[in-house]
Amino acid sequence: MERSRASRKWILTAAVAFCFGSALFAQKRPDERPNAPTCTYSLGYTSLSVPSPGGTRSVDLTTGMACGWSASVDVPWLTLVAGQSGTGLGTITFAVAANIATTSRVGHLTVQGQTLTITEVAVLGPVAQVQEIWMSNAQVPSTVKTVSTAPCNPAPSVVTTFLPTDAAAYVFVDVTQVAQGDVISSQYFAPDGTQYTNAGSSYTVPAEAQSVCVEDQGMKIVGAPPANLPGLWTVKVFVNSVWVITANFTITGTSNCSYGLSYTSLSVPPAGGAGNSITVTTTNSCAWTAVSNVLWITITAGSSGAGPGTTIFTVGANPGDSRTAFLNVAGQPVAITQVATGGPPAQLGPIWMTRIPFPNSISSCNDASVATTSYAPTDAAAYLYVAVTQVRGGDVISDQYFAPDGTLYAGAGGTVTAPPLVPFGCWEDPGIMIRGTPAANKTGLWTVKVQVNGVLVITTSFTMLAGSNCTYAIGSTAASFPATGGSATVAVTADPGCPWTASASPGATWVHITSGASGIGSGSVGYSVDVSSVDTRTATIVIAGQAFTVSQVSGLPIGPVITPGGVADPWTYTKGIAPGAWVSIYGSNLANATQTWSPTPGQTLATTLAGVSVTVDGIAAAPSYVSPTLVNVLVPSGIHVGQVQIVVANNSVTGPPYAIQSTAFLPAIYSNAAPGTSPPRYYVTAVDPLTNELVGNPSADPRVTRAPRAGDIIDLYALGLGPATQFPTDADFTGAFPLTATVNVVLGGASVAPSFAALVAPGLYQMRIIIPATLAPGDQPILLDPGGGVESAQNVFLSLQR
């Protein structure tokens, strides 16, 4: 960023003829002004999460107006687009390339030792970003699954350790950039790493929102298995099935009671009978009960107990069709199925499902596989096991599988005929093939019915989890186009027979599917992008369920932008603006070239320089210097005090209005920063009116011949002192117009009234003072007080010699 004094040579030259006839300020270029050696820098944020399609982002840098900086990145998928270097306040714009990997990646942007950590999620990762996650032992009904522009508030306090006697554990997540249809879900994992399926939940976002606060359905602890699984538990949160964030919590303390039963299903013959028993396994002192909910099952012993025990029950004779009822034993249901009158005497039970086939079906079930209640579409198969008693040679045992919609699934199940005179204790059916079959796409609760000699005897069920055996991939996940538009294709890879579609997101009228709007198996999608006359834009094409991002650069000319806080006086860099004051405007794209203009006395001040014009409060201002990042203007005397707007136009492209508070005065004394001072110390360069010598501090201004002494008469030059008897800001002039406000010079703490104070050139003021004879040698602070509660900068000094 250029120093603002480079552009105001003519401001000070106009005073030459009037006051001392030398090029005092004509030779003083502000770009010769030394930088303060110590600067502090701060980025607007230090971490950022970016979805896999990438895109363009920006971060603001805060530092002193005179502080230089440069930016760099440490990975090839980050590219600096704008703001690679500069001076003072700035904005760094960077591009993030699409991530086509299946894992997230991390890169860094560094500016003068300040680091921004950028995390890009894996390919196909969600746009939505989880900002915060925590656990609690309480629900908040008002925030359960609530879409809100605020984060999770109110929410219960964070809990990281739970007791076995706690009712439940819940996870809260605060997610931003959510879209309608995004699915936010949670899964719980026990200390041994296995998923605990009886916990967590999923939530589908009903509408576009800035953020969504979700409290999941949690995990029951007391009276449930987690109470007996102490240690470090893990909760994983997914957005659209992509794992995005993890929370941990601990279950600790003495275990609560848990119960096991010898079986949970039993088949009895039509005649019924007494002496049926269920063994209850639990720890000593743990109480339990057994209850029958039907008249034909009677508990004869063990209706309650404490610690291990047995429930004994009698089943009455069946007068009709097969029937099923449930006993509640130790809080768990036990299914009792009684076959119809005339049915086979064979009894079936227990019954269960598993993933692994059993090598010998004509034996006991002692070495059968572990029971499984749910299956993924990628599992190979599911098999049914049933324990068989009282079977006769020739009895036919068969089973049928029913899909979640109740229809019979013909491609599963089987039949076995009991051989004569051979013990037959366990039967495994041929099962149901899952992976690569229609069954993989029929999600929900399946039912298996087992019959003996054609009579339904017992039933079990299992769950087919969501998913599909179809897999899809696209050749890339993003493409960028110039403002002139264009066309391209995207390759689609799919399993044979797997259907897919392609469609642009709603509102993306500038993106058109030209071919491949649908297909079966592998293929391609053609699309085109219109010519743009608007700002940067992005759209999404959903291809076979995969997000493909199309971005297009701006079709608008790049306009000027004023940096926040980037309006200040050009000498001591005090932020603000005032009628008739010279100000420096910092920003980007302010001009296409660098140019300075100096008028001749009496000449009208131009309101355009190198195609750049500036209005303040709707009034054209006179520029003296323009460059891409700095413009110096004389503020029109007619602006009002209060909030005003500054508008910069660069060759007919107008930037956004910049609002700023105008004050009656913006005083600044002509001074220079001494090398090696931090924060900078500014030293006044004044004029001895008797000798025309420059007096002040030689270390700050090498043209100075000496320091003034107490009792000397000196001339000071200033800006921003407000109206004079004539207050022209539209033409150059010669002469001196006395100020209408009384300006006090506070030097070394003493108030000094100028013997002369006038406007001597557009925006330039001259004051003559006598340095108090009582002031001690050395640096004395000096400031201007024109009234109205506004003073010049505090870090300005006048050096006095002995």
Side-chain angles (χ1 to χ4, degrees):
M1 187 181 292
E2 303 92 337
R3 289 293 169 268
S4 55
R5 295 190 184 182
S7 59
R8 51 185 177 77
K9 175 178 177 180
W10 74 270
I11 306 173
L12 303 165
T13 305
V16 171
F18 174 78
C19 47
F20 43 80
S22 72
L24 163 64
F25 296 100
Q27 300 174 14
K28 175 66 173 78
R29 295 182 59 84
D31 53 334
E32 298 169 351
R33 196 182 169 115
N35 289 329
T38 301
C39 296
T40 59
Y41 302 85
S42 175
L43 292 173
Y45 48 90
T46 58
S47 64
L48 175 68
S49 177
V50 181
S52 62
T56 301
R57 301 289 191 274
S58 62
V59 61
D60 291 330
L61 175 70
T62 302
T63 187
M65 286 291 186
C67 294
W69 51 267
S70 61
S72 62
V73 293
D74 63 354
V75 289
W77 50 272
L78 293 177
T79 306
L80 294 175
V81 176
Q84 290 91 334
S85 62
T87 304
L89 302 173
T91 299
I92 300 99
T93 302
F94 56 93
V96 183
N99 185 5
I100 61 174
T102 57
T103 58
S104 61
R105 57 186 181 181
V106 177
H108 304 87
L109 183 151
T110 303
V111 185
Q112 300 303 122
Q114 304 300 304
T115 299
L116 167 62
T117 301
I118 302 159
T119 301
E120 188 176 29
V121 301
V123 64
L124 307 182
V127 173
Q129 303 292 300
V130 176
Q131 302 297 320
E132 190 175 15
I133 180 171
W134 70 95
M135 303 296 299
S136 181
N137 58 7
Q139 286 182 302
V140 180
S142 63
T143 60
V144 174
K145 300 179 182 176
T146 299
V147 176
S148 171
T149 57
C152 296
N153 184 30
S157 59
V158 175
V159 177
T160 58
T161 301
F162 297 80
L163 297 174
T165 52
D166 284 334
Y170 304 90
V171 64
F172 286 78
V173 287
D174 178 21
V175 191
T176 62
Q177 303 180 49
V178 293
Q180 182 177 1
D182 280 345
V183 178
I184 302 166
S185 59
S186 58
Q187 295 180 356
Y188 287 66
F189 294 84
D192 65 358
T194 58
Q195 182 180 356
Y196 182 68
T197 57
N198 194 27
S201 59
S202 65
Y203 171 59
T204 302
V205 178
E208 299 284 337
Q210 294 179 5
S211 66
V212 58
C213 175
V214 176
E215 174 189 2
D216 77 345
Q217 293 176 354
M219 181 185 75
K220 183 180 179 182
I221 298 177
V222 64
N228 298 325
L229 297 173
L232 186 67
W233 284 69
T234 301
V235 179
K236 295 182 179 180
V237 175
F238 300 77
V239 178
N240 300 338
S241 299
V242 176
W243 175 22
V244 292
I245 201 166
T246 299
N248 295 316
F249 65 96
T250 300
I251 296 179
T252 185
T254 303
S255 172
N256 71 332
C257 293
S258 63
Y259 303 89
L261 302 180
S262 55
Y263 58 86
T264 57
S265 63
L266 179 68
S267 172
V268 296
N276 300 287
S277 63
I278 302 172
T279 300
V280 179
T281 303
T282 186
T283 54
N284 292 333
S285 76
C286 285
W288 53 270
T289 60
V291 178
S292 170
N293 63 355
V294 293
L295 295 176
W296 53 275
I297 302 176
T298 303
I299 295 176
T300 58
S303 59
S304 64
T310 301
T311 292
I312 301 175
F313 61 96
T314 297
V315 179
N318 187 359
D321 295 334
S322 64
R323 56 186 179 179
T324 298
F326 292 88
L327 296 178
N328 187 308
V329 181
Q332 301 179 55
V334 179
I336 308 298
T337 300
Q338 189 177 34
V339 298
T341 300
Q347 296 188 45
L348 307 181
I351 182 173
W352 69 95
M353 304 293 297
T354 183
R355 288 187 175 88
I356 303 174
F358 183 47
N360 181 8
S361 62
I362 305 177
S363 67
S364 68
C365 290
N366 293 336
D367 54 351
S369 303
V370 176
T372 305
T373 59
S374 61
Y375 296 84
T378 53
D379 284 334
Y383 302 91
L384 175 141
Y385 287 88
V386 59
V388 183
T389 59
Q390 302 184 40
V391 69
R392 303 167 303 189
D395 280 345
V396 177
I397 304 173
S398 62
D399 63 349
Q400 295 177 322
Y401 285 68
F402 293 84
D405 61 0
T407 59
L408 174 64
Y409 185 73
T415 299
V416 65
T417 300
L421 306 177
V422 176
F424 187 22
C426 184
W427 178 57
E428 171 211 343
D429 77 340
I432 177 173
M433 299 299 105
I434 299 176
R435 185 172 61 243
T437 71
N441 298 323
K442 295 179 180 293
T443 59
L445 187 66
W446 285 67
T447 301
V448 184
K449 297 180 179 180
V450 182
Q451 300 172 329
V452 178
N453 299 336
V455 177
L456 175 63
V457 175
I458 199 166
T459 299
T460 191
S461 61
F462 64 93
T463 299
M464 191 73 69
L465 300 175
S468 172
N469 61 337
C470 286
T471 59
Y472 303 92
I474 56 178
S476 60
T477 59
S480 180
F481 286 83
T484 54
S487 60
T489 60
V490 182
V492 181
T493 302
D495 295 329
C498 289
W500 51 268
T501 60
S503 62
S505 57
T509 57
W510 51 281
V511 177
H512 311 279
I513 304 296
T514 57
S515 64
S518 63
I520 298 176
S522 298
S524 64
V525 176
Y527 67 98
S528 64
V529 176
D530 291 343
V531 175
S532 175
S533 60
V534 298
D535 203 355
T536 301
R537 55 187 179 180
T538 301
T540 300
I541 303 176
V542 178
I543 304 173
Q546 318 295 306
F548 180 81
T549 302
V550 179
S551 58
Q552 189 175 32
V553 301
S554 173
L556 298 174
I558 301 176
V561 177
I562 300 174
T563 299
V567 179
D569 83 76
W571 286 353
T572 57
Y573 306 115
T574 300
K575 296 179 182 179
I577 195 169
W582 282 99
V583 293
S584 294
I585 301 172
Y586 297 90
S588 59
N589 305 311
L590 300 180
N592 296 336
T594 300
Q595 189 170 333
T596 303
W597 182 64
S598 298
T600 58
Q603 182 180 0
T604 299
L605 302 183
T607 56
T608 301
L609 180 61
V612 177
S613 60
V614 179
T615 62
V616 182
D617 203 16
I619 306 173
S624 66
Y625 174 83
V626 299
S627 74
T629 58
L630 172 66
V631 170
N632 282 352
V633 297
L634 179 61
V635 179
S637 60
I639 73 168
H640 75 280
V641 174
Q643 190 174 73
V644 298
Q645 290 187 336
I646 303 174
V647 177
V648 179
N650 178 10
N651 289 281
S652 301
V653 180
T654 302
Y658 179 89
I660 188 172
Q661 196 73 15
S662 169
T663 55
F665 309 101
L666 186 64
I669 308 173
Y670 186 78
S671 54
N672 300 274
T677 58
S678 178
R681 290 171 65 93
Y682 293 94
Y683 288 92
V684 170
T685 297
V687 176
D688 184 332
L690 300 178
T691 64
N692 281 346
E693 288 181 281
L694 299 182
V695 294
N697 188 323
S699 67
D701 188 344
R703 300 169 301 156
V704 166
T705 58
R706 63 175 177 83
R709 301 179 179 85
D712 282 359
I713 299 173
I714 58 172
D715 285 341
L716 304 174
Y717 286 83
L719 304 175
L721 296 182
T725 54
Q726 294 187 38
F727 199 22
T729 52
D730 57 356
D732 195 13
F733 63 86
T734 57
F737 304 122
L739 300 184
T740 58
T742 300
V743 178
N744 283 322
V745 178
V746 181
L747 178 57
S751 180
V752 180
S755 60
F756 172 84
L759 180 70
V760 296
L764 180 67
Y765 301 82
Q766 180 185 357
M767 294 171 293
R768 182 163 294 172
I769 65 169
I770 301 175
I771 301 173
T774 56
L775 287 183
D779 295 345
Q780 296 291 344
I782 184 171
L783 58 82
L784 304 180
D785 181 7
V790 180
E791 297 177 341
S792 60
Q794 301 286 327
N795 55 338
V796 181
F797 301 88
L798 179 65
S799 294
L800 300 181
Q801 65 171 310
R802 298 184 181 279

